Amino acid sequence: MSHHADLDAIFRNNRQWAHFMRDQDEDFFPRLERQQTPEYLWIGCSDSRVSANEIMGLLPGEVFVHRNVANVVVHTDFNCLSVLQYAVDILKVRHIIVTGHYGCGGVRAALENRSFGLIDNWLRTIKDIYHRFEDVFTHLDAEQSVRLLCELNVQQQVANVCHTTIVQDAWKRGQTLSVHGLIYSLSDGILRDLQVNVHNMEEIPKIYQMYSDRDLLRRSLQGHAHIL
Ligand SMILES: [Zn+2]
């Protein structure tokens, strides 16, 4: 069976890359094989122009990656939650980085009324963000709207990550873990910090904070002690 010519190019590139990496550092592959100890979990868009390792200048093994269309974190998505749980509980990453990108096709589609099929359901949560800030969007032109919605989407997904039981449980047991929101521009390749950095439970709105009965009792007893 012969490969399609395009796949041949991939195999050729791969062998060149593997040789190059081994020439640079003969322990590269043995080390990669022995362990992965990434400090970062990257949640980004599936867009082929956005590659986690390349953008951050990190090697394989240095970043754990989850990607989907428009970098969305939905609390019933067991794929995303499983990546999150494994990264936090087992790999013990110290940073979760949600990275959006300007001009995101998913965000752009969410701003339209054209149906793309099944994916409309996936993008619905981005429409919810637009709907919440609709009064702001009415003053913007189409490109400004895409830009703002890309940013707001990242902020919302950072919040969604923080609201998961996985991240909250890590904070409750004293694990060092922070969640960040960045955005990448395809026009200049620069990552920008959206200044949404969350480091502990107290930084999320109270309604989303989850405690066990025992925690709640302890907190209420502490409250009474304070009053007395
Ligand atoms: Zn995208």
Side-chain angles (χ1 to χ4, degrees):
M1 195 179 88
S2 70
H3 294 298
H4 188 277
D6 293 347
L7 285 191
D8 285 343
I10 289 174
F11 285 113
R12 216 167 34 243
N13 292 345
N14 167 255
R15 276 190 294 269
Q16 276 173 7
W17 173 78
H19 284 140
F20 176 78
M21 296 311 284
R22 207 173 47 211
D23 286 350
Q24 296 285 106
D25 174 4
E26 64 179 23
D27 193 41
F28 180 77
F29 288 110
R31 198 171 57 237
L32 208 54
E33 208 175 16
R34 278 196 301 273
Q35 59 181 356
Q36 68 159 348
T37 51
E39 286 209 3
Y40 311 97
L41 164 63
W42 159 286
I43 299 176
C45 183
S46 297
D47 191 305
S48 61
R49 298 165 294 177
V50 187
S51 156
N53 288 74
E54 258 179 83
I55 289 174
M56 297 194 292
L58 297 175
L59 290 168
E62 292 185 309
V63 57
F64 202 59
V65 175
H66 178 74
R67 294 169 70 171
N68 61 41
V69 173
N71 41 269
V72 173
V73 176
V74 180
H75 289 102
T76 47
D77 174 8
F78 281 93
N79 182 355
C80 183
L81 292 182
S82 299
V83 172
L84 193 59
Q85 189 260 325
Y86 188 78
V88 171
D89 292 355
I90 314 297
L91 296 174
K92 302 225 169 0
V93 297
R94 298 169 71 89
H95 303 276
I96 300 170
I97 303 171
V98 179
T99 303
H101 67 105
Y102 290 118
C104 180
V107 171
R108 210 177 274 281
L111 276 167
E112 294 177 12
N113 295 99
R114 179 175 159 208
S115 174
F116 293 91
L118 174 75
I119 196 165
D120 298 341
N121 299 285
W122 182 252
L123 299 176
R124 186 68 30 91
T125 58
I126 305 178
K127 282 187 186 288
D128 295 340
I129 301 168
Y130 173 90
H131 189 54
R132 192 153 15 107
F133 296 97
E134 201 157 17
D135 52 333
V136 179
F137 282 99
T138 52
H139 304 291
L140 304 180
D141 68 26
E143 279 316 301
Q144 289 171 326
S145 295
V146 176
R147 212 178 152 81
L148 177 63
L149 194 53
C150 285
E151 292 177 356
L152 291 175
N153 182 44
V154 171
Q155 291 176 16
Q156 181 63 56
Q157 307 318 324
V158 166
N160 289 355
V161 168
C162 297
H163 301 166
T164 61
T165 54
I166 299 155
V167 169
Q168 294 199 32
D169 286 347
W171 281 332
K172 276 186 276 184
R173 61 178 178 256
Q175 197 171 323
T176 302
L177 179 65
S178 41
V179 188
H180 315 274
L182 309 181
I183 194 154
Y184 174 71
S185 172
L186 296 170
S187 62
D188 58 12
I190 301 296
L191 266 181
R192 291 172 174 82
D193 190 350
L194 286 173
Q195 305 294 338
V196 276
N197 303 290
V198 191
H199 312 87
N200 58 59
M201 194 91 148
E202 281 64 44
E203 293 179 66
I204 65 175
K206 193 161 177 288
I207 187 67
Y208 295 109
Q209 297 177 7
M210 302 305 292
Y211 297 98
S212 66
D213 288 350
R214 185 189 289 254
D215 290 333
L216 287 172
L217 181 63
R218 200 185 63 234
R219 285 169 68 85
S220 79
L221 287 174
Q222 280 170 350
H224 285 300
H226 184 71
I227 291 162
L228 291 169

